[in-house]
Amino acid sequence: MNFLKTLGINAHNYGASTGLEWMNTDNNGQFDISSPADGKAIASVYQCSNEDYEHVIATAQQAFKAWRTMPAPNRGEIVRQIGNKLRDFKQPLGELVAYEMGKSLQEGLGEVQEMIDICDFAVGLSRQLDGSTLHSERPLHRMYDQYHPLGIVGVVSAFNFPVAVWAWNAMISAICGNVTVWKPSEKTPLTAIACQNIIKDVLSENDLPEGIFSLVIGEGKVLGEGMLHDKRIPLMSVTGSTRVGRHAGTSVAARFGKSILELGGNNAIILTPQADLKIAIPGTVFGAVGTAGQRCTSTRRVIIHESIYEQVKEILVKAYSGLKIGNPLDENNHVGPLIDTQAVEMFSDALTKAQAEGGNLLCGGEVLSGEGYESGCYVTPAIVEAENNFDMVQHETFAPILYLIKYSGDVHDAIAIQNDVVQGLSSAIFTDNLREAENFLSHWGSDCGIANVNIGTSGAEIGGAFGGEKETGGGRESGSDAWKSYMRRQTNTINYSTELPLAQGIKFDI
């Protein structure tokens, strides 16, 4: 395929890079990558060795010493150039994202656009890394807060957003003065290799040291585990399941490191009697089936008032019957494959268990086979009538399963159902009632990190801080003031008097 050649993807690829140099280890095992779209082999990737990893970390440490001295706006200029390179390669990189991961081409292109957008955001931010000036209680003293870079930021990304999450972290981290070591999912390493190839020219043209943007590819239980315990990496940003995040968070905390955790979601949309169904239905369907339900912000539950429940159920089932499922590179298709056959098994198993608990399967749930579905990774998105207390409803299944839950009473009853899960990432309400909307957004409303009115749960803009509460991890990435997570805070006091007054009026005479 042309996009592979354009992006420098070879039949066999090395698995460690300092940004300017690829390590040539080829005897530490390899990943053979096949596309979930058609089951065909794409390429193989040699795994990073211990020696490669040590070289990458040492190089990153040296790069940090130089990179942190560059003025932040100058670092922003490098990020601006990276954004322009991504613009040049948007089409082929978007095609590779779709083919390697399985999301639709439109979503693949959208993911690359998200990378471009975060570069633009970071460029502006590079001139706005501010602090606070504080009034001292002591005369002729000045206090202020400032922020300093941390050093190496380790980024562990998941397969479902194989490039955007790296960019969220790496570009914001870069303008803050940090360097990045990226370990992508072993399921989608080719997109990471492509990103390294794309930004290499920017680094070379600006005569920058190697090690600012580095890449290591290997098994999570080996390479990822090593990064969690590596004291040379002061901050780890980890995207994955709650189980993975719980282990990562405790491991990093044990060495007093910092972590940003973006973990599971069990996201709900509330439909009140005042919902505008013309926008609510498309928002619900896209939220549930986009990326084949493999977004952390995918819509898992729809909490519907009893007065409109039957109407909404009928419309949703009809909408699902019109979904086109097939190769993600065909822009006529709405839904592509799951990432692999293991994900298909989880999908089928979850439906079996939900029905055993009393759930009513309304549509979908099939594993597709035959022409066009040779990979064995295609399923028909499912809708299940359920209760919120079902075990399977309480857990996140990373697949296109949408649970319909009926509520009676007022919006507070719906909010209570929505909040009655351990995850707290994204949430939404569709209503034209101002009081309902404001209650949903109030202190006693949604307990999620993201709360939307009259838009769905997925598709967050980069300008806002992204992340969730409870077992979603509590981390924040991307926009707003999430940049502060990538820096260490310092409070400074300057005495420009000829005396030495102490705080709290303490006297100490010698």
Side-chain angles (χ1 to χ4, degrees):
M1 295 185 174
N2 290 335
F3 58 82
L4 296 174
K5 183 177 180 180
T6 301
L7 296 169
I9 303 299
N10 303 310
H12 304 284
N13 303 272
Y14 294 118
S17 168
T18 58
L20 294 174
E21 174 191 10
W22 288 95
M23 310 298 98
N24 60 4
T25 296
D26 60 4
N27 60 356
N28 196 47
Q30 67 183 44
F31 296 127
D32 296 316
I33 307 301
S34 298
S35 171
D38 56 18
K40 295 180 180 178
I42 309 175
S44 66
V45 181
Y46 298 118
Q47 293 190 52
C48 170
S49 67
N50 289 335
E51 293 76 13
D52 291 340
Y53 175 77
E54 288 298 325
H55 178 70
V56 165
I57 294 295
T59 304
Q61 286 181 304
Q62 286 300 118
F64 172 61
K65 293 177 181 178
W67 184 244
R68 66 184 175 182
T69 65
M70 182 182 291
N74 292 10
R75 298 193 294 258
E77 167 59 19
I78 302 304
V79 171
R80 185 191 68 81
Q81 293 178 38
I82 290 173
N84 285 341
K85 280 290 183 183
L86 289 170
R87 285 179 170 88
D88 294 340
F89 288 91
K90 178 179 177 179
Q91 185 67 33
L93 185 56
E95 290 175 356
L96 178 56
V97 169
Y99 191 59
E100 184 182 27
M101 185 267 151
K103 63 177 60 178
S104 72
L105 178 57
Q106 281 299 310
E107 291 183 86
L109 294 171
E111 182 167 349
V112 181
Q113 185 61 50
E114 196 167 349
M115 301 172 75
I116 295 167
D117 292 344
I118 201 67
C119 287
D120 290 349
F121 179 88
V123 172
L125 184 62
S126 69
R127 294 180 180 272
Q128 300 178 53
L129 300 177
D130 56 0
S132 300
T133 299
L134 310 168
H135 286 271
S136 173
E137 68 183 65
R138 291 168 286 188
L140 302 180
H141 283 59
R142 179 165 65 89
M143 291 195 301
Y144 65 93
D145 287 338
Q146 63 176 333
Y147 293 85
H148 295 305
L150 289 165
I152 299 175
V153 173
V155 177
V156 177
S157 60
F159 73 85
N160 60 327
F161 279 85
V163 291
V165 171
W166 166 73
W168 284 2
N169 285 274
M171 299 308 141
I172 299 298
S173 179
I175 61 98
C176 290
N178 300 307
V179 298
T180 303
V181 176
W182 178 20
K183 194 206 86 64
S185 168
E186 51 261 49
K187 296 182 179 182
T188 53
L190 300 179
T191 45
I193 292 170
C195 288
Q196 289 291 108
N197 290 337
I198 289 171
I199 67 175
K200 179 180 179 180
D201 287 347
V202 173
L203 303 176
S204 298
E205 291 163 4
N206 288 274
D207 197 27
L208 294 171
E210 57 181 343
I212 298 172
F213 299 102
S214 301
L215 177 70
V216 289
I217 297 172
E219 294 182 350
K221 62 184 179 181
V222 178
L223 188 58
E225 187 70 17
M227 293 176 72
L228 295 180
H229 296 278
D230 194 335
K231 292 184 178 181
R232 296 169 294 180
I233 305 177
L235 172 64
M236 286 294 301
S237 175
V238 178
T239 302
S241 67
T242 296
R243 177 186 60 81
V244 169
R246 181 176 286 111
H247 173 68
T250 54
S251 298
V252 175
R255 61 175 174 86
F256 295 101
K258 298 176 65 176
S259 60
I260 298 172
L261 302 176
E262 297 292 353
L263 312 177
N266 197 344
N267 316 295
I269 289 176
I270 295 172
L271 300 182
T272 80
Q274 285 74 42
D276 181 348
L277 297 184
K278 293 192 301 294
I279 60 173
I281 296 300
T284 300
V285 174
F286 174 75
V289 307
T291 321
Q294 297 171 117
R295 292 183 178 219
C296 51
T297 55
S298 289
T299 305
R300 309 291 179 197
R301 300 172 292 147
V302 185
I303 302 166
I304 310 164
H305 192 268
E306 59 183 0
S307 65
I308 59 171
Y309 182 84
E310 293 300 327
Q311 178 189 7
V312 169
K313 179 173 74 172
E314 180 181 350
I315 296 172
L316 283 173
V317 170
K318 183 179 180 181
Y320 269 50
S321 69
L323 293 174
K324 296 178 181 177
I325 305 167
N327 193 308
L329 293 177
D330 183 346
E331 295 191 65
N332 292 314
N333 291 324
H334 300 107
V335 183
L338 292 173
I339 185 64
D340 54 27
T341 55
Q342 182 181 4
V344 173
E345 291 173 7
M346 287 194 302
F347 168 80
S348 299
D349 184 55
L351 289 174
T352 298
K353 291 179 178 178
Q355 290 176 87
E357 292 185 84
N360 178 28
L361 179 62
L362 297 175
C363 66
E366 301 173 74
V367 179
L368 300 175
S369 59
E371 186 177 354
Y373 306 122
E374 291 86 355
S375 68
C377 297
Y378 290 90
V379 301
T380 56
I383 300 178
V384 179
E385 290 183 293
E387 299 292 335
N388 200 62
N389 61 0
F390 286 1
D391 183 66
M392 291 312 300
V393 176
Q394 288 287 311
H395 289 83
E396 177 190 43
T397 302
F398 222 53
I401 301 174
L402 180 65
Y403 295 108
L404 305 191
I405 300 167
K406 185 187 299 184
Y407 83 95
S408 56
D410 62 17
V411 71
H412 299 287
D413 298 297
I415 293 171
I417 294 171
Q418 179 211 276
N419 291 347
D420 190 22
V421 293
V422 296
Q423 308 88 353
L425 179 52
S426 187
S427 59
I429 188 171
F430 281 86
T431 179
D432 287 341
N433 183 302
L434 179 63
R435 290 191 176 94
E436 289 181 336
E438 288 296 333
N439 272 285
F440 178 74
L441 300 176
S442 71
H443 305 326
W444 49 90
S446 170
D447 63 3
C448 296
I450 299 169
N452 298 326
V453 176
N454 292 332
I455 62 171
T457 61
S458 65
E461 297 181 32
I462 58 91
F466 180 88
E469 299 301 319
K470 301 191 291 188
E471 290 193 6
T472 298
R476 292 297 185 272
E477 296 172 333
S478 194
S480 186
D481 66 348
W483 62 270
K484 293 179 180 179
S485 299
Y486 302 89
M487 306 194 83
R488 57 181 176 89
R489 183 171 182 162
Q490 186 180 79
T491 300
N492 308 113
T493 306
I494 300 172
N495 176 7
Y496 57 97
S497 75
T498 59
E499 306 293 332
L500 189 67
L502 299 177
Q504 294 83 49
I506 295 173
K507 300 296 183 181
F508 184 76
D509 296 324
I510 57 173

